[in-house]
Structure formats: structure tokens, C-alpha cells
Amino acid sequence: KQEVTQIPAALSVPEGENLVLNCSFTDSAIYNLQWFRQDPGKGLTSLLLIQSSQREQTSGRLNASLDKSSGRSTLYIAASQPGDSATYLCAAQGGSEKLVFGKGTKLTVNP
Amino acid sequence: GAVVSQHPSWVICKSGTSVKIECRSLDFQATTMFWYRQFPKQSLMLMATSNEGSKATYEQGVEKDKFLINHASLTLSTLTVTSAHPEDSSFYICSAQGLAGGGEQFFGPGTRLTVL
């Protein structure tokens, strides 16, 4: 059974700092891995999707990497802004097409 | 593209009543839709997977008679919470996967259910 863990559970940084969010998964037989953003009381916004054959994906100030062999993914946020404050979720998708989510990292970027 | 809507966005009901939540893919056809539940400060937990025209597949521990799922068309799936109780209060989110399958899921904005 796939389990996804995100560390840290919460992170507070000053504006402008670069940061890394971590995600680990127990079953390396994944189809893809996705990173989402969730604002309080809102749904999910997809940020990046990395297929199992890929090593990384980039979108603007965001870069996500995937290391299947070690069961890890990281989300790198460059030059953080207060608007980046949200909960970031990673989810692993296996062959059954089910997404297994981590509990998220709550990010606060202080002005 | 790839927009998924949910209706209602929030609902308050009395204990014992039933509530229906709709999930629609607005600009694509979805052969598979997923229903998730999220309790406060918890992650999303998959409740069931529904395929158009067939019965939904429920995850372990989810009561199929309590959470009725219908996926009658390629753009609409509904979740009905029957005889709702306060412990059913949660944030319900659906996602839809396109005809190509095996790919990205697109998520709706969620429905906040409060049972008094």
C-alpha cells in the first residue's frame, strides 16, 4: 500500500528566501507524481506533474524533481513571495490511477 | 481547458437528511471521476472511483449505501450523502480524468458539507 509523507508539516520563511519542500513515497512503482497548492477552504490547484520517466519539471519559480529509486520528490520555490503562502500537497499516482496524497506542508512567507 | 465544477460550493443540512453534490467536467469528457474527502488539517482521502455507465468502486471503509455515486454521463458524476450525520461534515472534492486515461486528474473546487 502506497504511503506518502511530506516533511516538514509547516514552514515559515521570510520573503525572498529560496525553499525546498520534501515528499517521500514507499512504493516506487508510480505512474506520475503531482504537486498541488491548496489555499484555506479551497480546492486544489495543480502546480507540476512529473511523469515516471522524467526527472524534473519547471514552471516559473517552481521546480519539482523526482527520484523514483529513492522514493523522493522535492518542490523548490525560488524567491518566495507572501502570495506563495498556502498548503502544498504532493500525490503519487500508481497503475490503478489512484492518487495517494501526503498530508501537506503549510507554507507561510512573511513580508 | 480542463475545468471541473462542483455544485453546491457549500451546504448546511439537518442530521438525517440527504445531500447531493454534483461534479461536472465543463470542457472535456471524463470516463473516470474520483471522489475525495478531506477533514480539517488532514489530507485528501479517496472515497471512490466512478466510471461512466458502471458501478463505482469504493475504498475500504467507505459505506457504499451511505455515499451513493452515480456517473450517468461523460461529464457528470453525483455523490449523494444519505442520512447525513454530523460526523459526515467534511470537504468533498471530485476530480475528473479525460478519455486518454492514465493521466492527469483535474480537480473541482470542492464542496463544504456541514451537518447540524
Side-chain angles (χ1 to χ4, degrees):
Chain A
K1 179 183 176 184
Q2 179 73 274
E3 293 182 2
V4 178
T5 303
Q6 291 187 246
I7 295 174
L11 181 64
S12 182
V13 300
E15 182 176 3
E17 191 164 297
N18 302 325
L19 59 101
V20 175
L21 307 181
N22 297 292
C23 172
S24 62
F25 46 95
T26 56
D27 185 351
S28 62
I30 62 171
Y31 193 82
N32 62 49
L33 187 133
Q34 284 185 259
W35 284 91
F36 297 88
R37 168 186 173 137
Q38 185 175 32
D39 293 287
K42 303 294 185 181
L44 303 183
T45 300
S46 179
L47 298 175
L48 290 165
L49 181 151
I50 313 176
Q51 299 289 355
S52 62
S53 59
Q54 297 174 324
R55 297 282 292 182
E56 65 177 344
Q57 281 286 333
T58 298
S59 176
R61 294 183 293 109
L62 305 180
N63 176 277
S65 68
L66 174 64
D67 185 341
K68 277 183 57 178
S69 61
S70 66
R72 293 180 183 178
S73 177
T74 61
L75 178 66
Y76 174 82
I77 302 177
S80 59
Q81 303 171 357
D84 295 331
S85 298
T87 295
Y88 290 81
L89 298 167
C90 73
Q93 185 174 39
S96 65
E97 301 183 336
K98 297 179 183 178
L99 277 175
V100 178
F101 283 83
K103 290 187 176 181
T105 294
K106 183 176 181 180
L107 173 66
T108 303
V109 181
N110 302 300
Chain B
V3 178
V4 177
S5 70
Q6 279 185 242
H7 178 79
S9 57
W10 61 269
V11 57
I12 301 174
C13 69
K14 293 182 178 180
S15 184
T17 60
S18 295
V19 174
K20 179 185 285 188
I21 302 170
E22 292 185 350
C23 177
R24 293 181 184 273
S25 57
L26 298 184
D27 51 2
F28 68 102
Q29 293 183 320
T31 52
T32 305
M33 288 186 171
F34 303 85
W35 286 95
Y36 296 84
R37 181 169 52 185
Q38 185 179 35
F39 291 108
K41 298 186 178 180
Q42 297 294 316
S43 191
L44 278 75
M45 296 297 293
L46 179 65
M47 298 175 66
T49 302
S50 75
N51 292 292
E52 186 265 338
S54 62
K55 291 183 178 180
T57 302
Y58 290 81
E59 294 300 299
Q60 190 173 9
V62 178
E63 301 175 57
K64 62 178 67 175
D65 294 331
K66 180 171 185 61
F67 299 99
L68 302 179
I69 293 174
N70 183 280
H71 192 164
S73 77
L74 286 172
T75 59
L76 173 64
S77 177
T78 60
L79 168 68
T80 301
V81 183
T82 63
S83 187
H85 289 95
E87 56 265 31
D88 298 323
S89 298
S90 187
F91 193 52
Y92 292 86
I93 305 178
C94 72
S95 70
Q97 191 173 69
L99 286 174
E104 190 171 1
Q105 293 179 25
F106 301 96
F107 284 79
T111 297
R112 172 74 59 191
L113 171 63
T114 302
V115 184
L116 302 177

